[in-house]
């Protein structure tokens, strides 16, 4: 075992003495068992993580019962919703690198034989994935689960985005203080990752298709007692993976990443998944490009729409069969676009998992359980389930829920959640209204400086320029809350929350701080967006752009040098087109 490095032989007597002092070693036999690192992201200020201390205790118990010795350690976490709208959001994406470094440091310093990772939200999931790819020891991911949707007194399903949009509605006098307070009090009713197909839930679902998490990891609610069965199964499977020496890089191949991104396109996941998947691929040693993502999008139908793109939430996906039912539907395409032979942590292939876990696979255990549940709950609406995850013949769109746009404004690419864009906005041309930061944009939008027909440009918010590539949930929610969702577009070198909807294009590369074309846009310039052709164009001549490029120079604000971790991050961060990984 790898852990023998710290526990076997007479020269390791000091190491064993220290291990005894932890209280984790109960008898001499424990030194003969695998040492398992339990990487937990429990922090009390994030609702998706507030319950993970209890999850960690249960997982450790399950590891002991399976024959391993658990050692729990924690990572940091940033709650994007709480960090939103102030300087704290600059630390969100950079926290991903700290989390990856922390996992790597703990696993290599203490010679664990395997890892169980317990993430749940936003940057924490990909951060752990990146670290796990680096250390490359047997690992299983098991999330804390999604939050239940909130309900108003009238029974309307709501979530965190409803609250953000409520702020703009209240500012315009469309709802009163009592209605806003109801949204605030009911929008986030339980612990768990926010209830829509936002970044956290997108990444936890992708973990299933990627093969590093067990079925139901992404959709089973945080408050469900059945999650205990998932935790116990993960502990048992990890011990098997250690015996078989199956490691993350054996599972996370280019074909597996294809499968994960096909799921992403089929369910209209967060645009942040592109950023994070590219970073995970890099750590796994897989050369993966934005262009390949577009190729997958062009042949993957969008068969599932979840909030913010519809009124459905994660609990609806779970009731309809979960991730493996989405994959089952896509697997019916001829020729198949999924690689069903990819290995997963179940010990079976993805194709075998789909046959067992899809409610649409005839006679599967999942299908039998689904039919029994339907019989026991006559008020369950089968049609609602089959609208949440549609069959191929009723797909929302013949192409994926995400797209990569190129053009003279984004030579290295940009990202949009097509599934959240109204048909009327898929081809759009408008005048640029420029803001040099997210904060300026929020003030300007609420002050009604943006009118129908405009293209809002928020720049100097990329990985280097922000620094930290802030999410833009506040300005996009204000646009929707003011009723401009079908008449105003927004483009940025920053990024969006998974809760964003509308014609919002992010990750524009190169970013403004590196002199990318978005830095050259002037107020009133015409910008053309064509999602059907995957293009983003600034309607200015090349000669004019060349002249502007010569005159362009960073203002005093843009030349600002940041101190502390943000300064280090700004110096090392790369383009969003490469996953905003750090290079030195």
């Amino acid at each position: 075992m790898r852990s023998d490095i710290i526990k076997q032989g007479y020269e390791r007597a000091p190491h064993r003495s220290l291990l005894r002092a932890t209280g984790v070693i109960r008898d001499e036999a424990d030194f003969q068992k695998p040492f398992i690192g339990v990487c937990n992201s429990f922090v009390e200020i994030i609702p998706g993580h507030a319950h993970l201390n209890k999850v960690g205790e249960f997982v450790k118990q399950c590891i002991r019962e399976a024959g391993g010795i658990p050692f729990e350690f924690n990572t940091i976490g940033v709650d994007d919703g709480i960090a939103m709208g102030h300087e704290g959001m600059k630390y969100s994406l950079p926290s991903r690198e700290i989390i990856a470094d922390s996992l790597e440091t703990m696993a290599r310093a203490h010679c664990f034989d395997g890892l169980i990772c317990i993430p749940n939200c936003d940057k924490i999931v990909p951060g752990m994935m990146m670290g796990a790819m680096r250390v490359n020891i047997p690992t299983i991911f098991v999330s804390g689960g999604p939050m239940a949707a909130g309900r108003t007194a009238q029974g309307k399903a709501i979530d965190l985005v409803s609250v953000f949009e409520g702020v703009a509605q209240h500012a315009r006098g469309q709802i009163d203080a009592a209605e806003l307070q109801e949204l605030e009090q009911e929008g986030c009713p339980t612990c768990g990752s926010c209830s829509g197909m936002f970044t956290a839930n997108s990444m936890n679902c992708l973990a299933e298709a990627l093969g590093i998490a067990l079925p139901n990891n992404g959709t089973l609610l945080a408050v469900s007692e059945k999650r205990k069965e998932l935790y116990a199964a993960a502990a048992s499977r990890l011990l098997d993976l250690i015996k078989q020496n199956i490691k993350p890089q054996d599972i996370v191949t280019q074909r597996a990443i294809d499968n994960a991104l096909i799921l992403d396109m089929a369910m209209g996941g967060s645009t942040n998944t592109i950023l994070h998947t590219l970073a995970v691929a890099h750590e796994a040693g897989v050369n993966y490009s934005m262009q390949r993502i577009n190729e997958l999008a062009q042949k993957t139908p969008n068969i599932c729409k979840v909030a913010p793109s519809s009124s459905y939430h994660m609990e609806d996906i779970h009731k309809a069969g979960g991730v493996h039912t989405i994959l089952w539907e896509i697997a019916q395409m001829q020729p198949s676009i999924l690689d069903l032979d990819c290995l997963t942590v179940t010990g079976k292939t993805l194709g075998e998992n789909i046959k067992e876990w899809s409610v649409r696979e005839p006679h599967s255990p999942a299908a039998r359980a689904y039919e029994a549940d339907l019989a026991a709950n006559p008020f369950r609406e089968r049609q609602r389930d089959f609208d949440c995850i549609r069959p191929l013949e009723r797909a929302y769109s013949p192409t994926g829920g995400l797209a990569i746009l190129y053009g003279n404004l984004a030579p290295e690419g940009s990202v949009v959640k097509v599934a959240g864009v109204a048909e009327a906005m898929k081809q759009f041309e408008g005048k640029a209204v420029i803001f040099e930061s997210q904060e300026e944009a929020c003030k300007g939008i609420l002050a009604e400086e943006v009118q129908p027909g405009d293209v809002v440009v928020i720049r100097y918010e990329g990985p280097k320029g922000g620094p930290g590539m802030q999410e833009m949930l506040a300005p996009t929610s204000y646009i929707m809350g003011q009723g401009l969702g079908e008449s105003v577009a927004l483009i940025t070198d920053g990024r969006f929350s998974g809760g964003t909807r509308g014609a919002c294009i992010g990750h524009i590369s190169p970013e403004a701080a590196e002199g990318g074309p978005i830095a050259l846009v002037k107020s009133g310039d015409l910008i053309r967006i064509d999602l059907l052709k995957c293009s983003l164009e600034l309607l200015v001549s090349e000669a004019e752009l060349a002249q502007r490029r010569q005159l362009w120079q960073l203002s005093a604000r843009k030349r600002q040098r940041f101190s502390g971790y943000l300064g280090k991050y700004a110096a090392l961060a790369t383009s969003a087109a490469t996953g905003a990984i750090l290079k030195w």
Side-chain angles (χ1 to χ4, degrees), residues 127 168 173 336-337 430 468-469 484 488 522 581:
S336 177
I337 59 174
M469 207 178 182
L484 298 172
V488 167
K522 292 185 176 181
I581 58 173

Side-chain angles (χ1 to χ4, degrees), residues 128-150:
M128 286 193 190
M129 286 182 178
M130 291 164 67
M133 296 305 124
R134 289 181 199 169
V135 299
N136 199 33
I137 59 176
T139 302
I140 286 185
F141 279 70
V142 58
S143 77
M147 182 185 290

Side-chain angles (χ1 to χ4, degrees), residues 176-341:
D176 60 25
E179 290 172 301
L180 180 59
Q181 185 176 33
E182 181 185 26
L183 292 175
E184 174 190 330
Q185 292 175 339
E186 305 300 332
C188 300
T190 71
C191 64
S193 47
C194 293
S195 56
M197 189 57 79
F198 311 147
T199 305
N201 291 328
S202 297
M203 291 303 299
N204 285 324
C205 288
L206 260 62
E208 293 187 43
L210 201 55
I212 58 175
L214 298 176
N216 290 332
N217 174 72
T219 58
L220 187 59
L221 289 183
V223 293
S224 171
E225 280 295 309
K226 289 186 177 181
R227 286 206 77 85
K228 288 186 176 180
E229 298 175 18
L230 184 65
Y231 301 141
S236 177
R237 277 301 307 155
L238 180 62
L239 271 292
D240 291 335
L241 292 178
I242 291 171
K243 291 174 185 175
Q244 298 162 2
N245 197 31
I246 297 175
K247 303 182 291 296
Q249 290 187 25
D250 299 324
I251 294 171
V252 181
T253 62
Q254 186 179 79
R255 296 177 301 136
I257 295 171
D258 284 349
N259 287 339
L261 288 170
I262 287 168
L263 171 68
D264 204 11
M265 303 302 166
M267 68 183 187
S270 163
T271 53
N272 284 317
T273 56
I274 303 300
L275 192 74
H276 299 321
T277 303
L278 289 172
V280 172
H282 171 78
E283 298 292 355
V286 177
N287 184 18
Y288 213 90
S289 70
M290 295 262 279
Q291 188 56 52
R292 187 176 181 87
I293 296 170
N294 235 13
E295 291 168 4
L296 295 176
Q298 291 304 307
K299 56 187 178 183
T300 304
N302 177 209
I303 61 170
C304 179
K305 280 195 179 185
V306 183
S309 302
S310 78
S311 61
Y312 295 123
H313 290 82
M314 298 307 295
E315 59 206 66
D316 298 306
I317 290 187
H318 189 73
K319 290 174 185 176
V323 165
H324 283 70
T325 290
I326 298 173
L327 291 171
W328 183 90
E329 196 65 47
I330 295 298
Q332 307 313 301
M333 295 176 64
Q334 296 298 327
S336 177
I337 59 174
L338 288 169
D339 191 323
L340 301 179
D341 294 327

Side-chain angles (χ1 to χ4, degrees), residues 76 82 114 168 184 255 303 305 321 331 355 373 384 404 413 458 466 480 505 514 525 545 583:
I76 65 164
I82 296 172
E184 174 190 330
R255 296 177 301 136
I303 61 170
K305 280 195 179 185
K355 284 184 175 292
D373 181 55
R384 177 175 172 82
I404 311 299
I458 306 177
M480 299 303 294
I505 300 165
E514 292 191 309
D525 282 349
L545 286 178
K583 283 190 177 181

Side-chain angles (χ1 to χ4, degrees), residues 1-9 12 25 28-36 63 66-69 71 107 110-114 137-138 238-245:
M1 289 183 289
R2 190 169 176 271
S3 58
D4 287 349
I5 297 170
I6 61 169
K7 66 186 183 184
Q8 297 300 326
R12 295 305 188 225
I25 301 299
E28 293 301 311
D30 284 352
F31 286 116
Q32 308 306 316
K33 298 174 182 177
F35 279 13
I36 308 300
I63 290 171
I69 305 300
F71 293 88
H110 302 104
C111 303
F112 294 130
D113 296 298
I137 59 176
L238 180 62
L239 271 292
D240 291 335
L241 292 178
I242 291 171
K243 291 174 185 175
Q244 298 162 2
N245 197 31

